[in-house]
Amino acid sequence: MPYLVNMPAKKPLNPKTPVKSRNTSGPRRPRIANGGELPTREQLLEAMATQPDIKGKRDLAKIFGIRGDQRTAFKTMLKELEGEGIITRTRKALRRTATLPAVTVLDIPSDADPENLHAFPAQWNEEEGERPRVTILQGKDARVAPGPGDRILARVDPGEGAVPHYTGRAMKILDKPRRGQIGIVRMDDDGARLIPVDRKGKEMRIPLGDLLEAKDGDLVEVEVKLSGRLMIPRAKVIGVIGNPMSEGAVSMIAIHNLEIPYRFPAAVEREAEEAKDATLKGREDWRDVPFVTIDPADAKDHDDAVYAEPDTDPANERGYIVYVAIADVAAYIRPGTALDREAYLRGNSVYFPDRVVPMLPERISNDLCSLKEGVARASLAVRMVFDAGGHKKSHTFHRVLIRSAAKLSYQQAQAAIDGMADDKTGPLLEPILKPLWKAYGAMAKARDQRGPLDLDLPERKIILDDKGMVARVHIPERLDAHRLIEEMMIAANVAAAETLEQKSTPLLYRTHDAPSSEKLMALREFLGSLDISVKKSDSVRPSDFNGILAQAKKAGNAQQVSEMVLRSQAQAEYSAENYGHFGLNLDRYAHFTSPIRRYADLIVHRALVKALGFGDDGLSDNEALKLPGIAQHISSTERRAMIAERETSDRLLAQFLASQIGARFEGRISGVTRSGLFVRLRETGADGFIPASTLGQDYYRYVEEQQAMIGDKTGEKFALGDNVQVRLLEAAPVAGALRFELLSEGSRVNPSSSRRGGKRPPVSYGPRGRKKR
C-alpha cells in the first residue's frame, strides 16, 4: 500500500547525498551510507519527497536495497513514521500531504503533563493519517500560559530537518467549542441520520457501519468526521446514551454536548482513596471552638463553618469577632498530581436538578474535606474583628484542626432565631446562634453603607420525583440565615485578597467590570420610555442602579427594570489582574470559601499557604506564572457550567409541559427581539417563544430603546415585563424548546412612537412573517 509524507511545504529539500540510478527509467536510488545499512529517517523522507515515481513500500525497499533481515527493521521504521503522522497510507499514488500552517488551532490533551505540554491540531482530515504531535514551548516570560485540556491558537514551527518536529508557542487560549455532539438517531430508506439536540445544529448522515448498537429513537453521542475533498461532515456513533426520556438522561445531554468530564480516571480515584485524615502536625488546635455549618437541607458536602463571639477588648465596645473555617483542600490536592490535573480540567462542580458533577471525587469532597459534625477536619480559617458598625478592624489567617459542633440547615437555624427552636438548636441558641445573628446585624450595617448592587430576582428550584421527572417548581424563601452566611463568606473572601496583596503574592481575583458605555446607553433609552430618570454620566456606581430599582418599585415595574439592569451588567470572571468587583462595590475580591467546588478557591488557598509559611504545599512558582491562563480556563468552565445547568432546566421543564399542549398559562415577556417575544411562565419559570409573525394582523416593529414590538397601524405594544396570557402550542423536550400563542392584547400607544430614533427603520413583520423596511 502506498504512503504519503507530511513535509513542511515552505522548506524545499536540498539532498546532500549523491544520487545514482541503476535503471534510468525507474526510481533513482540514493547512495546509502555505512555500506548497505538501513537509511536514516531523513534519507527515506528525502527520497519520498523528491521522487514522484515511488508507489509504496516495495519501491522504497528496492531503492535502498533492503534485503533479508533488514526488512523487519525497515517495516518498523515505516510504521513509526506513520504513527507519528509523518507519512500516511493511501490507496492512491504517493503525494505530499497536509502540513500544519504557521498559525493554527491546537488541542492540549487533558492528561498532558503540565510541565511538558504537547498538543494536536484541532482540525485534521483523517485521510491524512495520524495527527502530528506539537511540543508546546513555555517560556518564563510568556504572556499566555495554557494547561492540560486547553484549546489554543499557536504559532507553529516544523523545525529545520526533513522530518518535521513541530513546536508551538501559545498566542491565545480559546473557548473550546463542542467537539462531540449529541443527537437522536432516525432510520430511513437510505440508512440513518442524526437529528441534533442543539437547536442550531444541522442534520448529518450516519453510515450504517458507524451506528454501533444504536436503534431508531436512541439518544447517541457522535464524533464528526470530515470525508472527501468537499470535507462533508458525517457522524460516527461513539456512545449510546439510550432513551432520551429515561431517568438521568436529560442532564447527560448537556454533559455530553458540552464535553463536561463526569467520570474520574482510575489514577484520580486511586489518589483520592489513598488520602489520609489530617493530623495536628503543623496546625493550631481549634477543636474547642464551637463552629456550626449552615447549608441547604439536602447538602452532601460542607466546606464552610462559622462562629462569632463578642469582642472583650474595651477598645472595641459592642464589636464582634467572626471566625470562618474553610475545608483545607490544598492539603489533599497537591500541584502536579492526577487529582490536581483533573480538578483543573473540570474547573468547578456542575449542579443539575438530578445530579452533581463534582470537581473532586467523593472521598475528598464528601468525606475528608467535608466539615462533618463531631469529626476533626483540617481547615484554613480566618479570624476577623468587626466594630459595632460592622467595619472590619483586623483579620488573621490560621491553619487549624476544627470539630464542627452542629450541622444545621438554613431553615432550621432561622426557625430557632424566630422562636421555634427544636431539640438540636435549642441548646445552641444562646451560646452560638444569637451571637452569630448579632455579628451579622453589625456587618449588615456596613454592607448597606457600602451599597452593593441589590437585584432581587427570584431563583426557582426544580423538584424531581423518584423517576427523575419534574414534580414541581418552587421559589425558596430568602432568609436572614442565607444573608448571614453570604455576608460572612464575602468578608472572608475580601480578607484573603487583602492578605495576599499585602504579602505581594500572586493570586486569582474575582472581578466584575463596570457596565460598558453601550449598555448604559441602551438602559437609559429603555428607562426613558418608562419616565424613570437616570444620570447621563458613564461613571456609575451600584448605588445609582439601586436608586433606579427603588423608582421602579414605586412605579410598579420593578421586575421589568430589574431584568434590564441585570442585562446591562458585565459578566464576572477570574483574572490575575485586579480591576475590582463592581456588583459588590469592592476594590479587591477573591474566591476563598469554596475550594471543594471551585478551582479558583484552591489556588487562593495555595497562595495563602505560601504567603503565610503554612507548609510546603503552597502555590508553586510555575503555577504563579500560569495564573493568567488558569483564570481564562476556569472562567470558561464556569460559563460552560452555567450553560449546562440552564439547558438542562429548559429540557426538564419542556418535558414537564409536553403533556399540556393547548393549555393556557400566565406569564411575563422576558425578552424582545426582531424575530419575536420570549415569555417566562409565572408558575414554572419555563421560557418559550412567540414568533413575531403570529402576533396579530398588524405589522409590528421592533423598537430597541423601548424593548418592545409596536404595531404600525394600531399602536398595539408588547414590551419587556408585560404580563400576558399564552397557549402552549408545541414542546420539544430534547431541544428544551417551547412555542406559545399569544392570547392577550397589548397596550395602546401612538403608532408613530415605533418610528422614532435610528437612521435605519426597524424591521417589521406581517401576519405571515413577511419583512418590510
Side-chain angles (χ1 to χ4, degrees):
M1 184 174 286
Y3 286 88
L4 306 179
V5 58
N6 291 324
M7 299 289 291
K10 62 181 180 181
K11 296 193 177 184
L13 289 163
N14 183 20
K16 295 180 181 179
T17 306
V19 177
K20 288 185 178 181
S21 174
R22 292 183 178 177
N23 182 354
T24 56
S25 63
R28 293 176 296 171
R29 179 184 176 188
R31 180 181 299 163
I32 302 175
N34 302 324
E37 292 182 2
L38 284 174
T40 65
R41 291 156 60 102
E42 287 75 12
Q43 286 175 324
L44 192 148
L45 293 172
E46 192 175 281
M48 295 176 71
T50 57
Q51 300 190 50
D53 294 334
I54 292 176
K55 300 298 182 183
K57 182 173 59 178
R58 289 183 180 179
D59 286 339
L60 287 169
K62 183 177 179 181
I63 288 173
F64 288 101
I66 304 299
R67 298 183 181 89
D69 294 341
Q70 292 179 324
R71 296 181 186 277
T72 300
F74 185 66
K75 289 179 181 179
T76 300
M77 179 186 292
L78 292 177
K79 287 182 179 179
E80 288 175 352
L81 290 170
E82 183 181 355
E84 294 173 19
I86 297 172
I87 64 174
T88 304
R89 290 178 182 267
T90 175
R91 293 182 180 178
K92 300 178 182 179
L94 273 171
R95 62 177 176 83
R96 295 273 291 276
T97 61
T99 56
L100 295 181
V103 176
T104 191
V105 178
L106 304 174
D107 282 336
I108 301 173
S110 60
D111 59 353
D113 181 355
E115 305 300 325
N116 297 286
L117 292 176
H118 67 277
F120 299 97
Q123 294 293 330
W124 187 255
N125 189 343
E126 288 185 356
E127 293 183 2
E128 302 292 346
E130 295 291 327
R131 295 185 300 165
R133 179 184 174 114
V134 182
T135 299
I136 304 301
L137 302 179
Q138 299 172 281
K140 289 186 177 181
D141 299 327
R143 295 181 60 84
V144 180
D150 282 346
R151 168 165 287 188
I152 60 173
L153 182 68
R155 194 175 300 280
V156 174
D157 183 1
E160 297 295 332
V163 181
H165 295 286
Y166 288 109
T167 58
R169 292 186 182 274
M171 302 166 63
K172 184 180 181 181
I173 298 175
L174 306 173
D175 282 344
K176 214 168 183 181
R178 305 176 185 186
R179 188 167 59 247
Q181 291 190 22
I182 302 295
I184 303 293
V185 173
R186 290 300 179 203
M187 307 300 293
D188 56 29
D189 294 339
D190 298 323
R193 56 197 172 100
L194 182 81
I195 310 298
V197 299
D198 188 344
R199 282 170 262 184
K200 297 180 181 178
K202 295 181 179 180
E203 287 190 18
M204 287 181 285
R205 300 301 306 177
I206 308 176
L208 290 178
D210 289 338
L211 272 172
L212 289 183
E213 303 297 323
K215 303 182 292 295
D216 185 67
D218 275 351
L219 181 67
V220 297
E221 181 184 10
V222 303
E223 65 179 10
V224 180
K225 301 188 299 181
L226 302 176
S227 61
R229 291 186 177 180
L230 298 178
M231 305 292 276
I232 298 173
R234 297 187 183 277
K236 177 182 179 180
V237 177
I238 58 175
V240 180
I241 300 173
N243 184 341
M245 295 299 106
S246 63
E247 181 179 353
V250 176
S251 58
M252 288 302 294
I253 295 175
I255 288 170
H256 282 275
N257 215 24
L258 289 162
E259 294 186 304
I260 296 172
Y262 69 101
R263 291 192 182 104
F264 286 106
V268 174
E269 294 280 16
R270 186 165 55 251
E271 282 188 8
E273 290 302 320
E274 290 173 353
K276 306 297 182 184
D277 285 326
T279 65
L280 261 177
K281 184 178 180 180
R283 300 179 183 277
E284 299 175 45
D285 190 350
W286 282 21
R287 284 176 291 181
D288 290 336
V289 179
F291 284 100
V292 294
T293 60
I294 305 178
D295 292 295
D298 56 355
K300 294 182 179 179
D301 56 62
H302 311 276
D303 55 2
D304 60 83
V306 293
Y307 173 69
E309 62 184 3
D311 190 358
T312 57
D313 185 350
N316 189 28
E317 187 178 355
R318 293 184 292 114
Y320 276 85
I321 303 174
V322 173
Y323 301 81
V324 174
I326 305 297
D328 190 356
V329 178
Y332 296 95
I333 313 299
R334 301 294 185 100
T337 61
L339 274 167
D340 181 51
R341 287 195 294 271
E342 186 69 14
Y344 169 82
L345 178 66
R346 297 182 178 219
N348 45 259
S349 299
V350 187
Y351 294 84
F352 298 103
D354 63 341
R355 76 178 73 220
V356 175
V357 179
M359 185 180 80
L360 300 171
E362 285 192 9
R363 167 67 173 156
I364 303 294
S365 60
N366 290 12
D367 187 5
L368 295 178
C369 289
S370 184
L371 306 183
K372 297 181 177 181
E373 179 179 330
V375 180
R377 285 289 179 252
S379 301
L380 200 57
V382 58
R383 176 185 185 272
M384 298 174 286
V385 180
F386 293 90
D387 63 22
H391 301 99
K392 182 162 64 67
K393 294 170 65 67
S394 64
H395 70 267
T396 53
F397 280 90
H398 307 260
R399 207 167 198 184
V400 301
L401 196 69
I402 73 163
R403 183 187 289 115
S404 171
K407 179 187 78 169
L408 305 176
S409 70
Y410 288 114
Q411 293 75 16
Q412 197 176 12
Q414 188 67 56
I417 290 295
D418 293 340
M420 295 173 286
D422 57 23
D423 292 343
K424 186 171 188 176
T425 56
L428 305 175
L429 185 59
E430 293 297 331
I432 298 176
L433 294 180
K434 283 189 176 180
L436 274 171
W437 253 257
K438 289 177 180 177
Y440 163 65
M443 296 172 73
K445 295 176 186 176
R447 177 200 62 202
D448 295 342
Q449 186 178 1
R450 187 177 83 239
L453 184 59
D454 187 18
L455 276 173
D456 188 17
L457 293 171
E459 293 187 13
R460 290 174 172 81
K461 184 174 182 179
I462 296 175
I463 307 299
L464 303 181
D465 59 23
D466 55 2
K467 295 181 180 179
M469 301 294 108
V470 178
R472 60 189 178 91
V473 180
H474 79 112
I475 300 175
E477 184 182 1
R478 178 82 166 153
L479 305 171
D480 278 344
H482 293 102
R483 298 183 180 94
L484 179 151
I485 295 298
E486 183 178 279
E487 200 60 36
M488 291 183 178
M489 296 305 113
I490 290 173
N493 287 335
V494 172
E498 290 176 347
T499 292
L500 293 173
E501 281 194 353
Q502 290 164 5
K503 295 290 185 178
S504 299
T505 301
L507 73 146
L508 287 181
Y509 293 93
R510 180 62 169 179
T511 55
H512 181 222
D513 210 352
S516 66
S517 299
E518 294 78 9
K519 288 187 175 181
L520 284 175
M521 183 180 297
L523 180 63
R524 285 193 198 96
E525 290 176 345
F526 171 73
L527 294 174
S529 70
L530 300 177
D531 296 323
I532 295 178
S533 60
V534 57
K535 70 178 186 180
K536 295 182 179 180
S537 171
D538 282 350
S539 177
V540 293
R541 300 187 66 82
S543 57
D544 298 319
F545 288 105
N546 291 339
I548 292 169
L549 295 169
Q551 291 184 61
K553 190 173 183 179
K554 290 180 181 178
N557 46 24
Q559 194 76 20
Q560 186 178 4
V561 173
S562 294
E563 290 277 2
M564 282 302 294
V565 169
L566 179 62
R567 294 181 189 188
S568 72
Q569 302 302 305
Q571 188 171 32
E573 62 182 2
Y574 296 104
S575 173
E577 297 180 4
N578 183 31
Y579 52 87
H581 197 294
F582 178 83
L584 293 174
N585 200 16
L586 292 168
D587 292 331
R588 57 193 55 80
Y589 192 63
H591 272 169
F592 158 75
T593 55
S594 295
I596 285 178
R597 61 185 180 91
R598 293 189 304 229
Y599 195 78
D601 303 52
L602 176 56
I603 290 291
V604 170
H605 275 232
R606 287 175 179 166
L608 287 166
V609 170
K610 178 180 180 179
L612 300 172
F614 284 158
D616 60 359
D617 48 354
L619 189 72
S620 68
D621 292 339
N622 189 47
E623 278 185 300
L625 291 173
K626 294 180 179 180
L627 286 183
I630 293 173
Q632 190 172 357
H633 169 73
I634 61 179
S635 294
S636 176
T637 61
E638 180 185 46
R639 290 192 294 271
R640 178 180 68 182
M642 292 170 62
I643 293 170
E645 291 164 7
R646 184 177 67 246
E647 287 184 356
T648 299
S649 293
D650 287 345
R651 291 186 177 105
L652 283 168
L653 291 172
Q655 190 179 78
F656 178 59
L657 295 170
S659 61
Q660 302 181 53
I661 302 297
R664 297 187 177 204
F665 299 93
E666 299 295 326
R668 183 177 53 80
I669 296 176
S670 58
V672 183
T673 68
R674 284 180 168 82
S675 55
L677 305 175
F678 290 92
V679 172
R680 180 166 298 158
L681 301 187
R682 182 174 300 167
E683 186 175 340
T684 61
D687 288 302
F689 186 63
I690 302 173
S693 58
T694 67
L695 289 181
Q697 297 303 308
D698 203 345
Y699 289 93
Y700 290 86
R701 292 179 182 266
Y702 170 58
V703 185
E704 185 175 5
E705 63 268 21
Q706 298 184 45
Q707 285 294 296
M709 298 284 275
I710 300 178
D712 258 6
K713 298 178 181 178
T714 62
E716 187 176 28
K717 177 181 177 182
F718 299 103
L720 180 73
D722 284 356
N723 292 316
V724 293
Q725 188 179 73
V726 297
R727 177 185 288 117
L728 179 60
L729 297 182
E730 183 181 357
V734 174
L738 301 172
R739 185 165 64 88
F740 296 132
E741 175 189 7
L742 185 62
L743 302 178
S744 303
E745 290 188 1
S747 58
R748 301 287 170 169
V749 298
N750 187 337
S752 64
S753 65
S754 69
R755 301 183 180 88
R756 295 174 187 164
K759 295 180 180 178
R760 185 180 183 186
V763 176
S764 60
Y765 299 81
R768 294 182 177 83
R770 183 165 58 90
K771 297 183 179 181
K772 280 190 172 185
R773 286 287 181 195

